[in-house]
Amino acid sequence: KWLQKFTTLPVILKVNLGIPALIVSNHGARQLDGVQATVDALGPIARAVGHRCELYLDGGVRTGTDVLKALALGARMVFVGRPVLWGLAYGGREGVALTLGILRAELDRAMGLAGIASIEEITKEYVIAPRAAL
């Protein structure tokens, strides 16, 4: 976005330059009301980059099922900012550990209910989403 302010030309990220990963983020959608959720943008981005680099999701991850959805739609890793801050406010270091434990337990439960034994088995077939998001 910053570079686009200085040109009318299209700004394109060339992924085949050895970039190991891209972070899909909307910075918490604090700047603009109604901005697309990162999880909704993830599927199309995953299709566009294929296996040329890893994708990381930043934003909107509040539960273990959010983690499952992100992994199913192509994320290799997710960032969990707000839940960690909530845990910190609740109980310092122990609160953060508790929060991460809850997220892990929720992910494990969701995987179990879906019949998924390992992270590697998670695919987009486990997510019901609008066709454009897949």
Side-chain angles (χ1 to χ4, degrees), residues 3-41:
L3 186 56
Q4 288 176 324
K5 293 178 189 176
F6 300 100
T7 182
T8 58
L9 298 172
V11 177
I12 300 169
L13 175 64
K14 191 169 182 181
V15 177
N16 63 355
L17 291 177
I19 296 170
L22 294 175
I23 299 174
V24 178
S25 176
N26 62 10
H27 294 283
R30 293 182 308 268
Q31 289 74 22
L32 295 173
D33 187 27
V35 150
Q36 183 179 27
T38 54
V39 73
D40 292 335

Side-chain angles (χ1 to χ4, degrees), residues 22-92:
L22 294 175
I23 299 174
V24 178
S25 176
N26 62 10
H27 294 283
R30 293 182 308 268
Q31 289 74 22
L32 295 173
D33 187 27
V35 150
Q36 183 179 27
T38 54
V39 73
D40 292 335
L42 184 59
I45 293 171
R47 282 194 311 279
V49 301
H51 296 286
R52 294 177 285 183
C53 70
E54 292 184 350
L55 292 176
Y56 305 153
L57 183 83
D58 177 39
V61 177
R62 307 288 184 263
T63 66
T65 55
D66 291 335
V67 175
L68 178 65
K69 291 177 222 174
L71 296 173
L73 292 172
R76 176 80 172 136
M77 178 174 57
V78 299
F79 294 91
V80 287
R82 286 186 191 164
V84 169
L85 292 175
W86 296 334
L88 186 63
Y90 173 75

